[in-house]
Amino acid sequence: MQFAARAFGWGVAIYAVMYLLWSGLVIYGLAAGVFSLGIRIAALVLVTTIAARSLHMQNWKDVAPYSVSWGIITIVLDALFLVPFSGWSMYSAWSVWVGYALVVLIP
């Protein structure tokens, strides 16, 4: 039960932070370019590091099942929230998959 709660809770938190950040960048016309990419990567590093450290585990192998779960959760949430607007073709962009990989690999 504890694994499911932490995996789901942090997966949703990671997604929420990144979705909110992306929305803000789009609203203010800052979504394109290297500056935006840097902000998004920095935020992703920060939130996934906080999530991983909150688990209080010493070994990356212990964190790996959580980070894989977080990656899967972000894929599913994108399907629920972004596919209706962007279509399934969003999954054909390599940058989308790099983002999912970073969610899994950074922690």
Side-chain angles (χ1 to χ4, degrees):
M1 180 66 175
Q2 190 174 16
F3 173 83
R6 288 179 171 179
F8 182 75
W10 276 111
V12 170
I14 291 166
Y15 188 83
V17 167
M18 297 308 295
Y19 190 84
L20 181 64
L21 177 62
W22 176 253
S23 297
L25 290 169
V26 169
I27 288 169
Y28 291 105
L30 302 171
V34 177
F35 179 72
S36 170
L37 180 62
I39 289 175
R40 289 181 283 141
I41 289 175
L44 184 61
V45 167
L46 180 66
V47 72
T48 55
T49 300
I50 291 169
R53 288 188 180 214
S54 77
L55 300 174
H56 302 292
M57 297 182 177
Q58 302 299 322
N59 192 334
W60 69 268
K61 293 176 185 176
D62 297 330
V63 177
Y66 290 94
S67 64
V68 169
S69 298
W70 299 336
I72 292 168
I73 288 167
T74 58
I75 292 168
V76 170
L77 290 174
D78 271 350
L80 291 172
F81 293 112
L82 295 182
V83 166
F85 299 103
S86 319
W88 291 101
S89 63
M90 68 173 262
Y91 289 113
S92 66
W94 65 270
S95 59
V96 171
W97 292 100
V98 169
Y100 298 143
L102 289 175
V103 170
V104 173
L105 297 174
I106 290 172

